[in-house]
Amino acid sequence: MATTNEYIKYICEQINGVGEIRYKKMFGEFMVYVNDKPVIIVCNNVPFVKKLDCITEKMQNAELGYPYKGAKEHYVLDIDNSEFCKSIITEIEKVTPVPKKKKN
């Protein structure tokens, strides 16, 4: 089951206020960006964040999963807890670089 447009919009609403939010459809699923930095990958209506040192303590009780076949293990973000999500995304955004533009 692919991620629905309604769900991706819900995710963006839940993290509203952490910076400039946009999303992009990629390979049938979505990537959510904050300040042009990729912070959440959404696959099958499940939001995933990378396992980063800066959020290990806060995410110690989080469910783990794989967004797609061949991916590294990620944390599953409890998107229904808006304030918690905002704190996690704020930490991730601080350490995530803006992707380099690809040359054609």
Side-chain angles (χ1 to χ4, degrees):
M1 171 180 107
T3 299
T4 63
N5 286 330
E6 294 80 18
Y7 191 72
I8 198 70
K9 289 175 185 174
Y10 174 68
I11 288 174
C12 294
E13 288 171 9
Q14 289 296 94
I15 62 169
N16 188 34
V18 296
E20 183 182 328
I21 300 167
R22 67 180 177 91
Y23 58 89
K24 183 176 180 181
K25 194 162 189 158
M26 302 177 78
F27 309 109
E29 295 294 350
F30 290 91
M31 179 65 74
V32 177
Y33 296 82
V34 173
N35 300 327
D36 291 323
K37 299 174 181 182
V39 294
I40 304 173
I41 185 167
V42 186
C43 298
N44 297 318
N45 282 349
V46 178
F48 296 91
V49 293
K50 282 186 179 181
K51 291 176 76 176
L52 299 171
D53 291 341
C54 63
I55 60 171
T56 299
E57 189 174 320
K58 288 183 178 181
M59 296 293 286
Q60 65 185 350
N61 295 322
E63 185 180 339
L64 300 171
Y66 299 89
Y68 53 89
K69 188 176 180 179
K72 292 181 181 178
E73 188 173 57
H74 284 59
Y75 293 119
V76 175
L77 189 60
D78 178 10
I79 202 66
D80 295 326
N81 186 340
S82 180
E83 291 307 312
F84 177 74
C85 289
K86 288 178 184 181
S87 71
I88 295 297
I89 298 307
T90 298
E91 294 301 315
I92 293 172
E93 192 273 338
K94 289 178 189 176
V95 300
T96 303
V98 174
K100 295 179 181 177
K101 300 280 184 188
K102 293 183 181 178
K103 295 180 182 179
N104 291 337

